[in-house]
Amino acid sequence: MRCSVWFVASCALILCALQLIDGATGQRQCSEMDYYYEYTECDSTGSRWRVAIPQSPGTCTGLPEPVRGTECTFSCKAGEFLEMSAQECTQCAAGSYSLGSGIRFDQWDSMPAGFSSLATSLENGPRGDDRLTCNSSSWVPQGNYLESNRDECTVSLIYAVHLKKQGSVSFEYQYPDNGLLFEFFIQNDQCQEMDQSADTKWLKLTNHSEWATHTVNLKSGTNILYWRTGGVLMGTKVVKPILLKNIQIEGVAYTSECFPCKPGTFSRVPGSSTCEPCPRNTFSGHGASSCTPCNTTTQYAGEGSAVCKDRPPCSKKDYFQIHTACDHEGKTQVIYKWIEPKICLEGVTGADTLPPSGKREPCPPCNPGFYNNDTATCSPCPPGTYSDGMKPCKQCPAGTEPTLGYEYKWWNVLPANMKTSCFNVGNSKCDNMNGWEVAGDHIQSGAGISDNDYLILNIHIPGFKLPTSVSSHSGTEFGRITFEFETLCTADCELYFMMDVNRKSTTVVESWERTKARQSYTHVMTKNASVSYTWAFQRTNQPSDVRRYVNDVARIYSVSVSNAVDGVSSRCRACALSTQPFSSTCVPCPPGHYIDASTNQCTECPHNTYLVPHATPGPDTCRPCGPASKSDKDHSLCYSDCHFTHTEGNVTLTFDFSPLGSLGSLMNGPSFTSKGTKYFHQFNISLCGGQGHLAECTDNVTDLSIADSQREKGEGANSVKTFICQSTIIPASGRGFNTALSSQSINLADTFLGASVENTLGGIRARPELYPQSSKKVPDVNFYYKSLEVTSSCETGRSAVVTLRCNPAKSTKGELSVPSQCPAGTCDGCTFYFLWESSAACPTCTERDYHRIEGACKGGHQDLLYVWTEPKLCIGGVTLPEKKTLPCEGVEFWVRLGAGLAAFTAVLLVSLTCYFWKKNKRLEYKYSRLVMSANKECEMPGADSCAVMEGENEGDMEDEVVYSKPSLLGKLKAIASKGNGQKYENVQLNSHSKALVWS
């Protein structure tokens, strides 16, 4: 109340001042055109004042005095506005409309007053000022709708509104591409974000060309509305923009004016709350109360047109052909029709005429699973029978069962479970237009109203049913769809293949831009659910209301869906029979079993083989696992048990990678886009283990509105479970979004080929030059993986190599890295390389990895130590033996023993020398006496005449006795001779007369 009184007093002072000035300057009196009325803010009693606000202050005098206004709870009905002069509700005139207590924005030729587009500055990339900026990124008016930016810049569309009471905001939008993030949130006048649930903040994807409506409640007071987009696609592919139209806000209490009808619409009577579109071949301008007819002879106009356009001469792009149903003679007629609505002129210069219809052609055969029993149409074979489309239906032989599915390769009429339609981007359904047209051996895209129309072809599969013999398998393939197609384009056309599971939301599975040669694409269904597959063809993504590229076309030659629960049978497959005598009932085989064709019994796959799903029954369906891999108990896949053995020469290395078997993660980067957006690539790797130990990557870009309980159950989230997967991570900082974004989760490896020290396995090369190795004492072990999912850029699927390298300096968890030459983990986009350095990648320790050291002998004891051979290149295995202490003999003992033996030897030698010398001297004396006795002249010497008497003088002997002294060696030989029985010695006696020798 105090504020209101102050405001009135202020206004009075201003008026007095203006009157004084007017009296001094002589200004003119204000007219109704010089001012407008506004209400003051409501006070605590619910009262307010009406005041006059000059259009241009100071140009006139005599503004009306402030008067008490209507109650704050006052509002007008729809179709009325508050006439401020009388403060009464008044009906809107014809040609205008009003929502009463709301406002609507449905015309976007330019940005309406109050709306602004703000691009958030991105983080600085490594190139500094060379990077592109977001200054040119904004929401763009396109007439009937607003179009968002197509790049990774974060752009906000902002509108502020002050509500007198609680209200709401609703709008229509198209959000077809998960390459963009789209959120809607509200702030108060303090720039504080209002509390919102996730499902009102994060908007869900829509089907292509379908408009969805989003409504959020608003509180009274100031509400600042934000529509914010940001690109998360890091490739060169152009994303589909978000479209926004028909923004309506309720709760403004009153509107002081009516809104004129936009061109192409009209309101016939006063008090209208909406404007109607003008019928075809009529037009209207701004604020029209009726539509003006076009001169249909030379002009035309579509529904809701603002002008009439001249009719062009007819050409080939203005008509199309269809085939009638087959008649009883097996013939079909070719019928040519003008595209409706017909806008071209016949009979003018340069105009083409409609070709004559009625030419009869042979009908194409029935599609497999259908038959023609002399009727005009092809009928599905009865249950339990099959046909190739050329012959009548037949019963499957005993021991076989029919396969269910669809196989369309002839296109005389559109199959019953397929639908086609055409959607215009800015408006609604293309009236009387078929999106796709049958053409005998193919079905092709139609003309459409304009080049940016979506031409839709859809097939619905209510569910999948596996063949009886494999119905209990634990595999993940329930069915697959395969189609063959081509595109011929001169503009920026694009063909989308999309999938809608359980009628929740349509997601793009794959897309192809511009001209593509004839090729085949297969998508595997990994869960049993109701699914709709959709093909959408758009000739250009630029706004267009004409047909320039009608000759740009997409053709689909064949579509095959396996295991469809409502399908027909084109062939039979072997099944396992019950073991009951004479039974012909097919029974399911246990997991990991194949059908023996000779006995029709289930046979388990051999050890370490896996069963190829949905292959022709027989032993060849069991494929052997690769080196160092084993199959799980169900024979559904091969995996590593974390153990590896390598033998080279007479040395065997045993590895135990169990510490690495749990999930390993690597986030490389950061990388920056051309505009400076920071992003990372995160890889999750499961090295060992089967189904229960796979790595998982999950997107949260389009699933931020899913409740946590749903996300834990895996509902709605786009997740990938495999051996190796990759996600693109965009941090929260620098983008304005309050959460980090995970997007583009892809499968890099769903099949384990094996582990080897060789550089090649299964056609995949490890490329060791990417990771130079300083030491080769322990070889690297390469784990080879393959992904069976074929992409447009990787025709044989992706592959990956994880190289395990022994590095004692790393922990057991180790460190993952990618090649420096390929910072994204891949150099070609199809083969990924990882290096996992860890001490756990070293071989198991054995006795050859340590040696013994003998300690010194102290106090009669000696220590024996065992140490690892450095560098230690092993882990686990045997442990070092404990230190041992053994008794020992010191060095002094051996010295004393040696000295004693040397002294004993010396004494022995001296004694022997003395003994032999003395004995030899005695012999010499006896020999001398004997010689002397022999020289005496006597006739008969006595018995002892030869003896030498004691005391005789040896020097008196006339003869000289000469003898040679034997050496020590000779004496030892002589002693040895005596020991052998020879008791004599040889002595040479020399005399002057003669020599005597005894022997």
Side-chain angles (χ1 to χ4, degrees):
M1 183 67 183
R2 185 180 302 171
C3 294
S4 300
V5 173
W6 178 87
F7 181 81
V8 172
S10 299
C11 293
L13 290 174
I14 293 173
L15 290 174
C16 292
L18 290 175
Q19 290 177 352
L20 291 175
I21 295 174
D22 182 54
T25 60
Q27 289 182 334
R28 63 179 178 83
Q29 290 290 322
C30 292
S31 65
E32 292 183 358
M33 301 297 295
D34 294 323
Y35 60 88
Y36 62 95
Y37 290 110
E38 282 285 355
Y39 280 125
T40 63
E41 293 289 338
C42 293
D43 56 25
S44 58
T45 63
S47 301
R48 57 186 174 181
W49 293 82
R50 190 199 70 177
V51 296
I53 308 297
Q55 298 282 4
S56 299
T59 58
C60 64
T61 62
L63 290 174
E65 298 287 339
V67 298
R68 185 173 294 276
T70 60
E71 295 180 358
C72 291
T73 58
F74 174 84
S75 63
C76 294
K77 297 179 181 179
E80 298 178 342
F81 74 101
L82 180 63
E83 205 286 311
M84 294 292 288
S85 297
Q87 298 194 66
E88 294 179 352
C89 293
T90 306
Q91 282 189 340
C92 292
S96 63
Y97 73 96
S98 168
L99 301 178
S101 61
I103 52 178
R104 179 188 294 150
F105 301 95
D106 56 4
Q107 186 174 349
W108 304 95
D109 295 318
S110 60
M111 193 70 76
F115 282 87
S116 60
S117 184
L118 177 64
T120 303
S121 299
L122 298 178
E123 297 180 358
N124 293 331
R127 290 171 292 218
D129 295 335
D130 294 337
R131 61 174 169 72
L132 301 175
T133 64
C134 294
N135 295 336
S136 60
S137 299
S138 65
W139 288 78
V140 181
Q142 296 289 0
N144 291 324
Y145 56 88
L146 271 176
E147 182 180 283
S148 73
N149 56 305
R150 299 169 182 253
D151 51 33
E152 73 258 24
C153 295
T154 301
V155 182
S156 297
L157 177 69
I158 307 173
Y159 182 75
V161 62
H162 186 80
L163 300 185
K164 301 297 183 181
K165 59 182 179 179
Q166 289 185 351
S168 64
V169 56
S170 64
F171 53 88
E172 296 179 53
Y173 70 95
Q174 280 188 18
Y175 180 20
D177 198 332
N178 58 4
L180 287 174
L181 187 70
F182 186 26
E183 66 172 336
F184 172 74
F185 62 97
I186 308 161
Q187 289 183 351
N188 58 21
D189 54 359
Q190 302 297 320
C191 295
Q192 295 174 339
E193 189 171 333
M194 302 283 195
D195 293 334
Q196 283 180 261
S197 60
D199 58 345
T200 61
K201 180 176 182 179
W202 301 101
L203 284 85
K204 298 180 180 179
L205 287 172
T206 63
N207 295 337
H208 276 63
S209 67
E210 293 186 4
W211 291 91
T213 301
H214 189 70
T215 302
V216 179
N217 294 327
L218 301 178
K219 296 180 179 180
S220 60
T222 300
N223 293 265
I224 306 174
L225 311 180
Y226 287 84
W227 292 265
R228 185 157 63 185
T229 63
V232 295
L233 187 64
M234 298 307 157
T236 58
K237 179 178 178 293
V238 177
V239 298
K240 292 293 180 184
I242 295 169
L243 307 183
L244 189 64
K245 71 176 184 179
N246 292 341
I247 300 176
Q248 182 170 317
I249 302 173
E250 297 284 349
V252 295
Y254 71 92
T255 176
S256 58
E257 60 180 348
C258 295
F259 298 96
C261 293
K262 66 178 182 179
T265 64
F266 71 101
S267 63
R268 192 182 310 273
V269 296
S272 297
S273 59
T274 59
C275 295
E276 301 176 21
C278 289
R280 183 180 295 116
N281 291 329
T282 64
F283 74 99
S284 69
H286 191 264
S289 59
S290 63
C291 298
T292 305
C294 298
N295 181 4
T296 56
T297 304
T298 59
Q299 294 179 321
Y300 76 97
E303 184 180 6
S305 295
V307 295
C308 293
K309 298 179 181 179
D310 293 334
R311 294 182 180 271
C314 291
S315 63
K316 293 181 179 180
K317 66 183 180 180
D318 293 307
Y319 64 83
F320 63 96
Q321 70 175 18
I322 62 172
H323 293 74
T324 62
C326 292
D327 57 22
H328 64 281
E329 296 181 357
K331 300 288 185 178
T332 180
Q333 287 185 315
V334 180
I335 305 297
Y336 293 93
K337 290 185 177 183
W338 294 111
I339 294 175
E340 296 294 341
K342 182 183 177 184
I343 62 173
C344 65
L345 288 176
E346 299 180 79
V348 298
T349 303
D352 289 340
T353 59
L354 191 69
S357 300
K359 180 181 178 181
R360 300 181 71 197
E361 297 178 351
C363 286
C366 293
N367 283 308
F370 293 83
Y371 74 103
N372 189 333
N373 55 354
D374 297 330
T375 62
T377 59
C378 293
S379 302
C381 287
T385 63
Y386 73 100
S387 172
D388 61 358
M390 307 288 289
K391 300 176 183 178
C393 301
K394 297 189 299 183
Q395 291 285 340
C396 287
T400 63
E401 61 178 335
T403 59
L404 297 179
Y406 291 104
E407 189 175 349
Y408 299 129
K409 56 183 180 181
W410 300 108
W411 304 90
N412 180 52
V413 294
L414 194 68
N417 63 340
M418 298 186 78
K419 295 180 180 180
T420 179
S421 57
C422 169
F423 285 91
N424 183 266
V425 173
N427 298 312
S428 57
K429 190 174 182 179
C430 310
D431 292 338
N432 303 320
M433 293 294 299
N434 284 330
W436 292 69
E437 303 165 358
V438 295
D441 66 339
H442 66 274
I443 184 171
Q444 66 182 19
S445 55
I449 291 179
S450 59
D451 286 336
N452 67 338
D453 289 347
Y454 286 107
L455 308 175
I456 307 297
L457 178 66
N458 174 273
I459 181 172
H460 178 68
I461 308 298
F464 296 89
K465 181 181 180 182
L466 292 172
T468 302
S469 299
V470 298
S471 60
S472 62
H473 283 185
S474 59
T476 58
E477 180 177 336
F478 288 90
R480 59 176 59 193
I481 180 171
T482 301
F483 59 94
E484 190 176 2
F485 72 98
E486 70 174 352
T487 57
L488 302 173
C489 300
T490 57
D492 57 334
C493 72
E494 188 162 7
L495 174 66
Y496 298 88
F497 175 61
M498 301 174 288
M499 178 176 65
D500 180 4
V501 178
N502 292 331
R503 300 186 182 275
K504 289 186 176 180
S505 64
T506 301
T507 58
V508 176
V509 178
E510 188 63 87
S511 64
W512 300 268
E513 296 178 348
R514 301 188 180 273
T515 297
K516 294 297 179 184
R518 187 169 175 172
Q519 57 188 279
S520 180
Y521 179 80
T522 298
H523 175 72
V524 176
M525 191 66 184
T526 57
K527 62 180 179 180
N528 195 355
S530 172
V531 61
S532 291
Y533 296 110
T534 301
W535 296 266
F537 181 69
Q538 189 182 36
R539 291 184 169 90
T540 178
N541 58 22
Q542 301 300 321
S544 175
D545 57 357
V546 296
R547 293 194 300 261
R548 293 192 183 96
Y549 308 111
V550 71
N551 292 324
D552 291 3
V553 65
R555 297 191 180 103
I556 296 178
Y557 291 91
S558 65
V559 176
S560 175
V561 182
S562 66
N563 301 332
V565 69
D566 62 341
V568 294
S569 178
S570 61
R571 60 186 179 276
C572 300
R573 60 169 286 152
C575 70
L577 298 179
S578 173
T579 56
Q580 298 295 328
F582 309 107
S583 175
S584 61
T585 304
C586 293
V587 296
C589 284
H593 287 65
Y594 68 94
I595 303 171
D596 189 333
S598 60
T599 62
N600 283 95
Q601 297 298 314
C602 299
T603 304
E604 186 176 5
C605 284
H607 181 63
N608 274 353
T609 62
Y610 69 98
L611 186 65
V612 179
H614 312 297
T616 302
D620 292 339
T621 61
C622 300
R623 305 284 177 82
C625 293
S629 67
K630 59 189 300 184
S631 63
D632 59 359
K633 63 178 182 178
D634 293 335
H635 297 277
S636 60
L637 56 79
C638 297
Y639 67 95
S640 169
D641 63 354
C642 283
H643 291 85
F644 180 78
T645 301
H646 170 62
T647 301
E648 186 172 352
N650 59 351
V651 177
T652 298
L653 300 178
T654 302
F655 297 83
D656 183 4
F657 302 126
S658 298
L660 304 177
S662 59
L663 181 65
S665 294
L666 166 66
M667 183 179 289
N668 65 343
S671 299
F672 295 87
T673 63
S674 59
K675 292 195 174 184
T677 301
K678 180 194 295 184
Y679 67 95
F680 301 84
H681 280 148
Q682 178 170 329
F683 301 93
N684 291 335
I685 300 176
S686 177
L687 196 67
C688 308
Q691 289 285 0
H693 302 83
L694 297 178
E696 182 175 6
C697 297
T698 303
D699 289 355
N700 70 347
V701 171
T702 58
D703 297 292
L704 293 170
S705 60
I706 298 176
D708 293 337
S709 58
Q710 290 178 289
R711 190 174 291 111
E712 291 175 0
K713 297 177 182 178
E715 297 179 2
N718 179 23
S719 62
V720 175
K721 280 190 175 183
T722 183
F723 288 107
I724 305 175
C725 60
Q726 173 194 300
S727 295
T728 300
I729 307 297
I730 304 174
S733 59
R735 296 300 307 276
F737 300 105
N738 296 326
T739 181
L741 305 178
S742 173
S743 67
Q744 300 175 338
S745 295
I746 59 175
N747 171 18
L748 302 183
D750 53 25
T751 302
F752 178 57
L753 300 181
S756 174
V757 297
E758 302 297 331
N759 293 329
T760 303
L761 181 65
I764 304 174
R765 183 169 174 266
R767 297 189 64 184
E769 68 274 8
L770 295 177
Y771 301 108
Q773 188 175 7
S774 58
S775 174
K776 296 185 178 180
K777 292 182 179 181
V778 176
D780 292 340
V781 181
N782 300 311
F783 278 58
Y784 294 88
Y785 297 91
K786 183 77 175 176
S787 173
L788 302 181
E789 292 183 3
V790 177
T791 66
S792 56
S793 57
C794 304
E795 296 180 355
T796 60
R798 300 183 180 92
S799 56
V801 181
V802 180
T803 300
L804 303 183
R805 177 169 295 174
C806 172
N807 189 340
K810 303 291 184 181
S811 65
T812 54
K813 288 297 182 182
E815 179 182 353
L816 271 167
S817 62
V818 294
S820 57
Q821 299 93 320
C822 312
T826 177
C827 299
D828 58 4
C830 295
T831 304
F832 291 76
Y833 302 95
F834 305 94
L835 177 65
W836 200 334
E837 293 183 280
S838 167
S839 58
C842 297
T844 303
C845 295
T846 62
E847 287 81 358
R848 64 175 174 270
D849 293 306
Y850 64 83
H851 59 277
R852 187 179 72 177
I853 297 178
E854 296 180 356
C857 185
K858 295 182 179 180
H861 293 84
Q862 182 183 30
D863 291 336
L864 298 181
L865 300 177
Y866 297 87
V867 295
W868 294 111
T869 302
E870 294 295 338
K872 182 187 177 184
L873 298 176
C874 66
I875 187 174
V878 300
T879 58
L880 282 176
E882 296 182 357
K883 182 179 69 173
K884 298 179 181 179
T885 302
L886 301 176
C888 64
E889 296 179 352
V891 177
E892 296 82 358
F893 169 78
W894 295 106
V895 172
R896 291 195 300 268
L897 180 61
L901 290 176
F904 174 77
T905 304
V907 172
L908 180 61
L909 291 176
V910 172
S911 301
L912 289 175
T913 302
C914 294
Y915 168 76
F916 286 115
W917 178 82
K918 186 175 181 180
K919 186 174 182 180
N920 191 43
K921 292 297 286 183
R922 237 190 262 134
L923 288 174
E924 289 178 0
Y925 179 74
K926 289 181 180 181
Y927 292 158
S928 299
R929 297 297 298 171
L930 181 60
V931 171
M932 293 176 64
S933 299
N935 289 334
K936 289 182 179 182
E937 296 179 358
C938 58
E939 295 178 358
M940 187 173 291
D944 58 351
S945 60
C946 290
V948 180
M949 297 290 126
E950 293 182 12
E952 292 182 351
N953 188 358
E954 295 178 346
D956 295 339
M957 292 188 299
E958 297 179 3
D959 296 328
E960 181 182 4
V961 180
V962 180
Y963 60 94
S964 60
K965 183 178 180 180
S967 63
L968 178 60
L969 181 59
K971 293 177 181 178
L972 293 175
K973 288 183 178 180
I975 295 174
S977 298
K978 291 180 180 180
N980 293 334
Q982 296 179 357
K983 305 295 183 180
Y984 58 87
E985 296 177 350
N986 293 333
V987 181
Q988 182 179 356
L989 302 177
N990 294 330
S991 174
H992 293 288
S993 59
K994 59 181 178 180
L996 298 177
V997 178
W998 286 267
S999 60

